[in-house]
Amino acid sequence: MSLAGLACAVMLATGDVRGDEAAWPQFRGPDSNPVSTNAQLAERWGKTENVEWSAEIPGRGWSSPIVTGGKVLITSATTDGPSKSPQIGTEYSNEYVAELTKLGLSEAQVLEKVTARDIELPAEVQLHYFLSCRDLKTGKLEWQREFYAGRPPGGRHRKNSFASETPVTDGKSVFVYVANLGLYAFDLKGRPLWSTRLEALPIYLDFGTGSSPVLAGGLLVIVNDNEKQPFIAAHDTKTGKEAWRRNRDVGGNKGQPRSGWVTPYVWRHGGRAEIVTVGPGVAISYDLAGNELWRMSGMSGAPVPMPFAYEGLLYVNGGRGRPLFAVRPGAAGDISLKQGERANEHVAWSDPRGGTYLPTAVAYDGALYSVSETGILSRFDAKSGALTYKTRIDPAATAFTSSPWACNGKVFFLSEEGRTFVVAAGETYRLLHVNDLDDMALASPALSGDRLVMRTQHRLYSIRRSTPPTRPARPEPRVES
């Protein structure tokens, strides 16, 4: 297919899904910026309050639910026998390393003990991978397909899962990606269409994978940043055959990690479509044929947050301790900032310490709301980058992985403990209330019409108002005497 044909196809790619108001076709939704304008969307909930239905999820998975055609689709993996349980927070492995080092253990001994406690290796588990489909209105299980059984293609840190990549749909088919294992396509009745096995490649310290696939026209695009040979590839959505693959020169000097966990973003602007990726040390954008358009250094060695666009600017999170960048459309070549620079021809603004480790920010009502993995919330002006405030959400808000979302003048932050902190949108910080599901949560929710579809460690919830919101009374007309 010619580049012009690809560009045309990508502009039409989501036509079927866009016609469905309740569709949430991919990780972080149709615009990769989870914002809803539905006034009926629930703002309060609990384990029973405003719960339309809930269902137990077999096994474990941190992939997010997607919605299309009145169906909720989700992946998970079960294990034969015991599995290492997840733990809230990000520092417990580092704390264990420090503890063992103080005891005088060698580096090899420390790694062996940390691996034994916190890493689940392929030889330790037998897995069953499932794609499940439920009715959006009732939660009834319509079908469930086991698409792989056997040893996993690599290990995982116990904070991660073996099913962390979110599926993607074009409204007719659903595409499942498990990095280093394979790609799988099903129709919406659960019938398998095709599958493509992928080479198992090593991930840094067997931490596991998490970069989700995206659609670009008739192409299914994946990014696999690993320790052997990082790459980006596109597969034909009708056949699963590889259309193109490009090796990626990401990572630092010899011996530094080359693994990454960032979902790519298809940025459509001014008739141009590009695939924006963030890897260890560098962000790279490609055209739809896999040719590099531009690159920008300054990313962390372990990137996670997804790039996305809002009102004409692309936001690139450099990772913990690194900058947050706002990039203008039309960039080409190396657009990296020089030492001491905060902007240039292609970078509208940057904040030198604005990057975060795990959650991706949300842009809403002219502002960017970005939360760190430890619960520090920053609000930036989306156009200028001015920092409006920076504060801890709440003393009880200590661990975050999932992406925040926004609607009806409020921004929602789901913690790993299953609590959602509801904050008023605006220049002044106000915590309004806290919703508690009392179950570990790392997945990002789907905003589907007037329903919020949320995944916790053990259950899938449809959160919906049991009664419509109260409308403010209209003022009485004034009568002049």
Side-chain angles (χ1 to χ4, degrees), residues 215-232:
L215 291 173
L219 298 176
L220 182 65
V221 179
I222 60 173
V223 172
N224 187 323
D225 288 336
N226 60 80
E227 295 306 293
K228 182 179 179 181
Q229 178 56 70
F231 69 89
I232 180 173

Side-chain angles (χ1 to χ4, degrees), residues 129 131 136 170 173 183-184 250 392 402 421:
Y129 286 85
L131 172 66
L136 174 62
D170 60 4
S173 306
L183 291 162
Y184 306 85
V250 299
R392 176 168 292 283
S402 65
F421 297 83

